[in-house]
Structures are given as C-alpha cells and as structure tokens.
Amino acid sequence: PLDWTLWRIGYSARLLKTNCFRTAASNTSFPAVWMLLAQYSGRVPGLFVVVKKKNFFTMPETVEDKANLELYLPHPEVRGMTRLNREAFKRTVVVPVLKVKKEIVNTLLKSLKHTVLQRPGLKRVVEDPEDEDSRLVILDPHKISEFSLGESDQEVLKQLNVHPEVSKYNLELTYENFKSEEILRAVLPEGQEVTSGFSRVGHIAHLNLRDHQLPYRHLIGQVIIDKNPGITCVVNKTSIIDSTYRNFQMEVLAGERNLVTKVKENNITYELDFSKVYWNPRLSTEHGRIVELLKPSDVLFDVFAGIGPFAIPAAKKKCRVFANDLNPESYSWLLRNCKLNKVDNKIKAFNMDGRDFLLGPVREELSRELPLLKEEQKTSFHIVMNLPALAIEFLDVFQHLLAGEPCSAAGLPTVHCYGFSKHDDPAKDVRERAEASLGTSLDGRCSTYLVRNVAPNKEMLCISFQIPAEVLYKRPSIPASKRLCSSRDFSEEKLKKS
C-alpha cells in the first residue's frame, strides 16, 4: 500500500538525513528526496513521518576519550568554583617531543600525522630553546608508549634522517587551551551532568539549566561566551512558556543585557526582542517543510504567526498571506520584519485573538473566495495553527464556519495544526483530540508529522487535513412553508403519474 511504501521511504530518509547531519553544517539544504517526502507528509492521508533535525547548537568541542580527559584535566583546585578565575586553570603537563631541523618540519608532520599531537588550540611545533635551527614537534602522549616510537614511525624518521630519540617537554596549559566541557566537568561536583548544549538566537545563547547547575550559572554563562565566538549574551530560562503570549521569564547569566537580536533562517532575516516574543531555532526545519507545501498564488492564514517564520517565506514565494498574533510585541516585530524583507504589501497583519481571527478575517476571505473558485484553478488555502499547547482546542471554530453550498473537494482549506502529546501513541492521541474538536472522524483523511521531541516523553506533532465539507459548511435550512409546498407538489406529481 502507498502508506506503507512512504513509511519505508521515510525510514530510509531518516537514515540518509542522520548521515547528512553528521557531515554537514546545520544550514545544509535537504537532499531532494527528503523534501519530496516532506511534501507527501502534508498531503497523504494516514502518513506519519518522523523527522528529527539537530538545529540547536552544542558546544563545538567534545572530549575525545577518557585518557585525553585525564591528561588535559584542569587543575583540581577549580572544583566547586562559582566565580570564574581563569588563572586557576593553569597546569603543566609532560609531553613527548622530537627534535627536528626546521626545514623538514612540514614533511615530518605529514608523515607522522597519526602520531603528532592533534588538539585544537595547542601548537604542535614549538621553538627549541637550545637550538634556533631546530624545532620541537609535540607527539601525542597516548600514542607514544613509554616515550618511545614504534617501528613504523622509526622507519619514517630514518628516511628523513631524524634522530628517533624522544625527549620530555613541559607543556603549560592555560584556560584558553581547555574545552568548554572539560572546564565545566572540572568545576561542577564530580559525577553530575555537565551542560553541553544551548539554543543560539543571534548573539544570544539560551540555556535550560538543571537545579544542580544553578549555583554555577554565571560561570557557565561566561565559559560559553569565552568559547563560542559571536555569543555575547547568555540567558537561562526561569519559567515555563506563557501560553497567552508565548514568552518566558529569563535571567541574563553573562555578557551584555541586550536581548534585541537578528537571526537568519532559511535565507530570511528576522529581527526580534528575545525577551518579549517567541522564537525557537529548533523549528527551522518545520517552517521550511510547511512553506515547501505552498505554491505561488496559494493563500496562507497564519493564526499564531509570531514574528513571521511561516508568513514571510510564504509571501516571498508569492502567496497571499493573512498573518495574526495576539501578542502586541510579536505583531510589532512581524510588521517590522515584513518591511525588512520587502513583503509588507503582500501580507495583511492582524493583532487579534486566534479565535476572533478565524471567525473574522478568515471566514470573510473564505466566504468571498471559495464560491469563485473554478475547477481548473489550482489555488489552495492553508491554515497554519502553531500554538502547540492550545491550538487543537481552536479547531471547533471550523464547525459550520461557512454557509451555503460547499465548494469543490479540491478547494477545501487544509489545516496544519500543532500539538503536544505525552501519549504512548502520540499520533493517535493528537488525531483523536482533533476529531473531538471538529466533531467528525479524520480516519484516512489526515497525516501526522512528528516535529520534535520537546522533553522526555513529550512530543510536538503537526496534524494536517482538509476540513471536511460537512464540518465547514452549514447547509441553509428550508422554511416550513417551502417544505410543505414541496411535499404537496410531490404528491400531486405522483397522482398524475398514477
């Protein structure tokens, strides 16, 4: 069956995508097959596609192995430090070196590339204090057993006419030489989890610290700034997201207190005040997936538009867009971003409650446009409802939203509604809740897409479906007098025939 075939494609694509993200930067575009799959996920009834993209930032360094961790561990006196003292991280370690004439250093580095020290931030070649014509090449102490080279390495040195004697060298390590995770692992109480990831929003790093990390939060913030170029402000989330305006309380841990920033997503630039509006860089893939479903001349109604990550790319794609958000700050930044991206004449923006937006501008536009829609026209109507905590509860608005004769099946609007689920079967849970709000079954006429894992046992999903005609339209009731007339006419016609 088609669903099973597409599920298998989805599985293969997940493997493909996983491999892509291991080797490519986070902004690498999808393979063509993946984007085709994303298109199907919004159109094929019953299709449930799982996608997980790593579009949050981890600290760019990781600890190689336990042996390296022991060698490059900062001074033990830093344990328990809550105020960053960079001088306390100084440490001297003994490493093996080879004395080499400076003319052949580059050749030697290439020939012994698996034996030479390979650690970012540390020089592999240093001056020889006893001979200005020679250099000391630092070797990896974990690959040199008892400070002596193996036979293959000795053969290389023989060909280069280099004496194989390995000497000891005191290498001073400073705060600059240690990686973020090494610093935090040395500082935090032994055995406790180390913060290793954050969301990056422009110049801001956004953390969600655990309780045991809070006493060290200012030090953690400063380390992140020191080790990540471009980060000048670190904040920690101190409350859950408020469902009304979708923002949250935060504490500035380190750096400047400027929370107005600029971000780039899917080649579009946005400006925002991170303390007053909702922005999640982990949703960039989902924004791109929905926009990919749209065609030029389609109509998009964005019920909870935020600062425009669905609306603005859709307008860039020459769609007609109606974008709404209840948060006055989001509405203000939406207008600003429309002008910034030169689509302010293609987007009608509203600052209303989502329910009022659906009952007002959306109903008016659909009532005007759907009756004029001809069979040969290929305009589609899409309604995006990205408020996962509450959006499913708004679906009851579509019950008898329009009056009159239904439009063609192809013209019925497609809804993309987001929700959270902690259920064992999240796709079934979201579908059943949507059916309860709509008052009808969606079995066989919806697709469910796993957007991301929000927390342990909590998923974010998108359910897509065309609004059934029997839900969307309220058939005009026939007055009693007309019903009586019609019944009498039918009886007389029947008598004549008999």
Side-chain angles (χ1 to χ4, degrees), residues 54-75:
K54 185 179 177 184
N55 53 359
F56 66 97
F57 287 75
T58 56
M59 295 184 184
E61 333 80 23
T62 56
V63 179
E64 299 92 338
D65 52 46
K66 289 184 179 179
N68 274 338
L69 178 62
E70 292 168 2
L71 175 66
Y72 300 115
L73 197 67
H75 198 286

Side-chain angles (χ1 to χ4, degrees), residues 54-211:
K54 185 179 177 184
N55 53 359
F56 66 97
F57 287 75
T58 56
M59 295 184 184
E61 333 80 23
T62 56
V63 179
E64 299 92 338
D65 52 46
K66 289 184 179 179
N68 274 338
L69 178 62
E70 292 168 2
L71 175 66
Y72 300 115
L73 197 67
H75 198 286
E77 288 185 3
V78 302
R79 178 79 65 193
M81 178 187 292
T82 56
R83 202 166 191 175
L84 185 60
N85 176 8
R86 297 176 181 84
E87 289 296 312
F89 285 83
K90 283 186 178 180
R91 185 184 178 189
T92 300
V93 294
V94 179
V95 294
V97 294
L98 276 174
K99 184 173 181 176
V100 183
K101 290 295 181 183
K102 62 182 181 181
E103 293 84 11
I104 63 168
V105 165
N106 290 335
T107 304
L108 182 90
L109 290 176
K110 292 177 183 177
S111 302
L112 294 183
K113 61 182 178 181
H114 298 298
T115 307
V116 173
L117 181 68
Q118 302 283 351
R119 183 177 169 86
L122 283 182
K123 291 182 178 180
R124 295 180 295 172
V125 181
V126 295
E127 300 283 337
D128 183 349
E130 299 175 355
D131 184 357
E132 63 178 19
D133 294 326
S134 298
R135 296 291 182 266
L136 299 178
V137 176
I138 302 176
L139 306 177
D140 189 335
H142 303 295
K143 296 177 181 177
I144 305 298
S145 177
E146 297 181 353
F147 282 76
S148 62
L149 292 166
E151 291 183 9
S152 60
D153 289 337
Q154 289 190 37
E155 184 62 31
V156 170
L157 296 181
K158 185 177 179 181
Q159 293 175 8
L160 295 174
N161 198 27
V162 175
H163 193 280
E165 181 184 358
V166 176
S167 305
K168 295 182 179 181
Y169 179 78
N170 290 329
L171 178 65
E172 184 179 72
L173 301 177
T174 66
Y175 172 82
E176 284 69 29
N177 301 129
F178 293 112
K179 304 176 183 182
S180 299
E181 191 169 346
E182 291 167 344
I183 292 170
L184 298 180
R185 195 179 296 280
V187 168
L188 268 63
E190 200 165 359
Q192 290 194 357
E193 181 187 358
V194 173
T195 299
S196 59
F198 55 90
S199 295
R200 182 166 184 167
V201 182
H203 67 277
I204 303 166
H206 170 214
L207 302 175
N208 288 321
L209 294 180
R210 305 288 179 87
D211 289 343

Side-chain angles (χ1 to χ4, degrees), residues 271-282:
E271 294 178 349
L272 63 129
D273 184 336
F274 190 55
S275 67
K276 295 179 180 178
V277 304
Y278 179 78
W279 180 264
N280 190 339
R282 303 181 189 194

